[in-house]
Amino acid sequence: IETNKNKRFKQNSNPLAKKVNVCGIGGIADNDQIRHRKNWNVNGAFTWEIIDNLSLKTDFGLDDYHLNDNRFYGKTTYYAREKVGEFVGLPAVVEANQFRKKIRNTNTINYDFKNVLRADHNMNVLIGEERVVSESSKTNSEVWGLPDFFDAEKAFNFQGSGNASVIDHFYNPDDKLLSFFGRLNYDYKSRYSLAATFRADGSSKFSDGNKWGYFPSVAVAWRLSEEDYFSADWLDNLKLRFSYGTAGNNNIPSGQMSKTFSASSTTNLNTSSTYWSSGNVLDNPDLRWETTYTRNLGLDFAVFRSKLSGSVELYRNNTTDLLFEVDIAGSGYNTQYRNMGETRNQGLEVVLNYVALQGKDYGLSFNFNIGFNQNEIISMGVLENYGEASDWASTEINYDYWISKGGSVGDMYGYRTLGRYEVSDFEGYDEATSTWILKEGVPNTSTAILGHNVRPGDLKLKDLDGENGVTVDDREIIGSANPLHTGGFSINGNYKGFDLAANFNWVYGNSIYNANKVEFTSARKYSYRNMSTIMASGNRWSNLLPDGTICNDPEQLAQMNENTSMWSPDLEYAVFHDWAVEDGSFLRLSTLSLGYTLPKQLVERIKIDRLRFYVTGYNIFCLTNYSGYDPEVDARRKTPLTPNVDYSAYPKSRQVVFGVNLNF
């Protein structure tokens, strides 16, 4: 049972913070959020051995979740300036109440044939059924036009002082899943083994004719070390295994089979103040189960009295009838869920375990794993190659990920940067037209990208086709969220009563889309905007003379900026280019634990079996060349097609936990 109350963005009453609102800092002090969350988890099981080797087991689970989220927007915030209709510049409150309940019941019958078969044979059979029912609803309310002097506390307690502008209740259709399954395990002399399973899953998310999905799988193994011709003193275990199977996925919102309607308020109808309208997602009664086909070939081994053990595994997984939301512009709707396309993931995984020391009062062991995965889009169904937008900068960037047959999910799409325009890139300045004239052959980053005519110091982008200057057609794949390999290793040791455990993990060869670098190195329509130290005076190009006027003298302009390296932040729009794509490789010490167990003869005197004190640290350090807060980031999760975007994400916290393990 868990009850969690969390308050974030505490109201800042510092008078200094209120004085600097004009610089853009006040928005932080003028936000508040209070979140109350209750989550009840109840699980139970009952087992009855009906006769010898025949048992019945019943499992029951309940997950009850309630969330109350209150958000205050003060008068300096973007929400109070842009989202409140006629109540511009006044505080507002947004309240969201969410409810979710899931009930699960599983019943299985298991029979072991050990009293029926001969000694060298082992077999057991399991059959069962499972029901999972999920209910959820959400209510949103927005109160605008609160009194000018209200802070968060007053706004939360006296919401009746404002105007209830939006009240929406979303009730999701129940999500019901009914499953029947069976499993057979057989082995002969622990040398040959077979495991076969079959599942039939029925989901309320699909219409009649598509409700049920059938997913068989089989696995076989051969323990070669049990064969006479493989026996050796140094070989403890050698097993070859292969499996093939299918698995289903129905992870889409409920209610996609039929049209849904919502009620909205209006002042444009004479007969009613409300109207009903369909949502922006078009229903699709033809949806069916997404299916993944898995193939695994593995080798397990243990040598030298099992001091060294591990496994090597090759896999290939194909997923067909992908369930995802696609744009259907021009239809009157925005999107629709469809089954289309196929992806493939294949790779290699290696696991090694080594026991370096093993004694009565001491021990030292190491564990290591590494995985290589290759992702490929095999088919896109009826779709052609298209771009997907992360939307961190609204529509300014357009799409910044590319989805194409033969490509990978996570391919980043943008411009190649050539640095900045120098004075030497121009013929000179034309006083008559107030423009700088580029030399022939120098790529022209168009006004559609910069928001103004090109001048020295501007961001310079590569013209891929060499025609008509730099346009949206001059973008290409400039990074990939997919790493070359991932892995981890751990160290475990003990001496006398002391024990030590350290766990490391790494990612190598992936790209991070650092949107923060773009955000805080460009003005983007805002004067006096705070920017990162990358764009500090003396680092960035400047066109301003000491008196505040613009310099257009080539020699003087070049001299003013001879010691700077960055381009001018004067950009009308956000631009995604490869300067914002960084190597996301890292090595992290994720956990480090040190413990001490008191001698048993000492604690037995006070009727205790075991008493251990420990301290554990989480996220101890991270070695990386990434310039952002944390290379493990994925801030734009509206769609899985835009991974590894770093935008306004909090870094991981470092934690230290002190604890006691006590056994009676």
Side-chain angles (χ1 to χ4, degrees):
I1 301 172
E2 176 194 16
T3 300
N4 185 348
K5 294 183 178 180
N6 183 28
K7 183 173 182 178
R8 301 173 60 192
F9 307 120
K10 185 177 180 181
Q11 179 74 12
N12 190 338
S13 58
N14 185 347
L16 178 61
K18 296 181 180 179
K19 291 179 181 178
V20 295
N21 285 352
V22 69
C23 296
I25 300 176
I28 298 176
D30 218 10
N31 274 270
D32 207 354
Q33 184 177 20
I34 299 179
R35 176 176 292 179
H36 298 269
R37 182 176 63 231
K38 283 187 177 181
N39 197 179
W40 291 74
N41 290 283
V42 180
N43 293 281
F46 169 79
T47 302
W48 174 32
E49 188 170 4
I50 304 172
I51 59 175
D52 287 345
N53 304 318
L54 178 64
S55 61
L56 169 67
K57 184 177 181 181
T58 297
D59 291 270
F60 173 83
L62 170 65
D63 181 10
D64 188 87
Y65 177 85
H66 295 264
L67 173 65
N68 178 254
D69 190 354
N70 290 283
R71 184 69 184 269
F72 170 74
Y73 294 97
K75 57 187 178 182
T76 67
T77 60
Y78 172 82
Y79 186 93
R81 297 195 311 266
E82 304 288 343
K83 300 290 186 179
V84 292
E86 69 270 25
F87 301 102
V88 175
L90 293 176
V93 168
V94 176
E95 181 176 356
N97 293 289
Q98 185 176 349
F99 162 74
R100 184 179 69 242
K101 181 171 68 175
K102 178 183 289 187
I103 300 175
R104 176 186 57 83
N105 173 239
T106 306
N107 301 286
T108 58
I109 295 178
N110 186 82
Y111 184 71
D112 193 325
F113 288 82
K114 62 182 179 181
N115 292 337
V116 178
L117 301 177
R118 296 179 180 179
D120 293 336
H121 301 267
N122 295 286
M123 186 173 71
N124 65 71
V125 174
L126 178 144
I127 57 174
E129 64 88 23
E130 182 178 54
R131 294 182 180 89
V132 181
V133 179
S134 299
E135 303 173 6
S136 63
S137 64
K138 185 176 181 180
T139 301
N140 288 343
S141 63
E142 300 180 30
V143 179
W144 300 346
L146 291 165
D148 177 82
F149 62 90
F150 266 28
D151 59 13
E153 184 177 2
K154 293 183 178 68
F156 290 147
N157 292 330
F158 303 104
Q159 295 186 26
S161 301
N163 293 268
S165 299
V166 179
I167 299 177
D168 286 325
H169 182 75
F170 303 92
Y171 178 77
N172 299 318
D174 290 351
D175 177 9
K176 299 179 181 179
L177 180 69
L178 175 62
S179 302
F180 299 95
F181 50 87
R183 183 189 68 207
L184 181 147
N185 290 327
Y186 170 81
D187 78 79
Y188 174 69
K189 290 186 175 181
S190 298
R191 184 180 304 172
Y192 313 107
S193 62
L194 167 70
T197 64
F198 181 83
R199 290 186 63 93
D201 295 315
S203 173
S204 62
K205 294 181 179 181
F206 307 121
S207 59
D208 292 341
N210 294 325
K211 283 186 183 296
W212 288 93
Y214 304 98
F215 309 105
S217 63
V218 63
V220 294
W222 176 22
R223 194 180 301 275
L224 288 82
S225 54
E226 293 296 316
E227 303 288 355
D228 294 337
Y229 46 83
F230 268 103
S231 61
D233 294 337
W234 54 270
L235 181 62
D236 302 297
N237 179 45
L238 185 64
K239 182 169 75 171
L240 182 66
R241 50 187 169 79
F242 174 77
S243 64
Y244 176 87
T246 57
N249 174 39
N250 67 336
N251 191 21
I252 58 173
S254 299
Q256 300 303 317
M257 295 180 298
S258 57
K259 195 180 303 298
T260 59
F261 291 83
S262 61
S264 303
S265 59
T266 180
T267 58
N268 298 323
L269 299 177
N270 294 329
T271 57
S272 175
S273 60
T274 62
Y275 68 95
W276 287 83
S277 64
S278 60
N280 55 18
V281 180
L282 179 62
D283 56 295
N284 184 358
D286 297 324
L287 291 173
R288 58 188 180 275
W289 284 86
E290 176 184 300
T291 305
T292 298
Y293 299 85
T294 65
R295 309 163 190 85
N296 296 71
L297 176 64
L299 182 69
D300 302 327
F301 65 90
V303 295
F304 309 125
R305 297 183 180 179
S306 296
K307 292 190 68 174
L308 177 63
S309 62
S311 65
V312 179
E313 184 161 345
L314 294 167
Y315 64 89
R316 172 178 284 191
N317 302 331
N318 286 61
T319 303
T320 62
D321 293 331
L322 294 165
L323 286 168
F324 67 97
E325 195 173 6
V326 297
D327 294 329
I328 51 172
S331 64
Y333 297 87
N334 293 342
T335 60
Q336 182 186 46
Y337 281 93
R338 295 180 181 177
N339 291 95
M340 60 173 56
E342 178 181 357
T343 61
R344 180 171 65 202
N345 284 279
Q346 59 184 9
L348 168 70
E349 294 181 349
V350 178
V351 177
L352 295 174
N353 307 296
Y354 178 62
V355 181
L357 299 172
Q358 185 65 57
K360 181 180 179 181
D361 296 326
Y362 61 89
L364 180 64
S365 62
F366 302 90
N367 307 97
F368 171 86
N369 68 85
I370 186 171
F372 303 85
N373 182 73
Q374 182 185 53
N375 170 265
E376 183 179 354
I377 300 172
I378 304 299
S379 169
M380 297 181 60
V382 298
L383 290 179
E384 298 180 354
N385 300 345
Y386 72 99
E388 186 74 26
S390 64
D391 284 337
W392 71 265
S394 188
T395 59
E396 290 182 23
I397 287 182
N398 202 331
Y399 52 84
D400 41 15
Y401 282 80
W402 189 244
I403 314 301
S404 63
K405 181 178 179 180
S408 300
V409 175
D411 285 340
M412 301 170 185
Y413 197 70
Y415 300 97
R416 296 285 179 186
T417 182
L418 299 177
R420 69 184 185 186
Y421 287 98
E422 302 291 345
V423 173
S424 58
D425 290 323
F426 296 84
E427 297 283 357
Y429 181 73
D430 187 345
E431 295 282 355
T433 60
S434 300
T435 57
W436 286 81
I437 308 302
L438 278 170
K439 291 181 179 179
E440 186 177 353
V442 178
N444 184 358
T445 303
S446 67
T447 57
I449 297 172
L450 296 177
H452 56 259
N453 292 324
V454 177
R455 59 173 296 119
D458 281 336
L459 176 65
K460 187 179 182 181
L461 303 174
K462 186 176 181 180
D463 186 358
L464 293 180
D465 56 22
E467 299 177 358
N468 302 320
V470 180
T471 66
V472 293
D473 296 326
D474 291 300
R475 294 178 295 169
E476 60 180 331
I477 295 174
I478 57 177
S480 174
N482 299 291
L484 297 177
H485 57 77
T486 61
F489 61 92
S490 62
I491 304 170
N492 295 275
N494 67 280
Y495 178 73
K496 301 294 185 179
F498 293 94
D499 61 88
L500 173 72
N503 297 296
F504 298 80
N505 67 292
W506 82 76
V507 172
Y508 177 77
N510 67 317
S511 298
I512 303 293
Y513 179 171
N514 192 346
N516 292 322
K517 286 179 69 174
V518 180
E519 174 84 352
F520 298 113
T521 57
S522 59
R524 285 184 61 204
K525 304 188 291 265
Y526 300 103
S527 299
Y528 313 111
R529 184 175 193 168
N530 290 329
M531 289 184 288
S532 67
T533 53
I534 300 173
M535 283 292 183
S537 297
N539 292 338
R540 69 174 186 263
W541 181 281
S542 177
N543 295 302
L544 296 179
L545 293 168
D547 62 359
T549 59
I550 295 178
C551 176
N552 288 314
D553 179 80
E555 293 184 5
Q556 187 177 6
L557 199 56
Q559 185 178 6
M560 288 168 49
N561 292 280
E562 61 182 354
N563 294 321
T564 65
S565 58
M566 291 299 297
W567 46 83
S568 169
D570 183 20
L571 293 172
E572 183 70 16
Y573 312 109
V575 180
F576 178 41
H577 51 110
D578 59 355
W579 177 74
V581 177
E582 298 189 46
D583 181 12
S585 304
F586 69 88
L587 172 65
R588 186 189 302 275
L589 175 54
S590 52
T591 60
L592 178 64
S593 182
L594 176 64
Y596 178 69
T597 303
L598 293 176
K600 190 169 185 178
Q601 60 270 26
L602 178 63
V603 298
E604 283 180 341
R605 298 177 183 178
I606 53 176
K607 308 301 182 181
I608 295 177
D609 286 341
R610 185 172 182 266
L611 180 59
R612 174 178 176 264
F613 299 91
Y614 68 91
V615 56
T616 301
Y618 298 91
N619 188 27
I620 306 302
F621 65 78
C622 182
L623 303 178
T624 181
N625 289 324
Y626 179 59
S627 67
Y629 292 130
D630 197 319
E632 283 189 286
V633 63
D634 188 14
R636 307 301 291 179
R637 294 187 293 270
K638 181 180 179 181
T639 167
L641 300 177
T642 61
N644 286 25
V645 178
D646 187 1
Y647 182 65
S648 299
Y650 283 99
K652 289 183 181 295
S653 61
R654 182 175 294 115
Q655 303 176 47
V656 179
V657 177
F658 298 89
V660 177
N661 297 130
L662 184 62
N663 291 10
F664 292 97

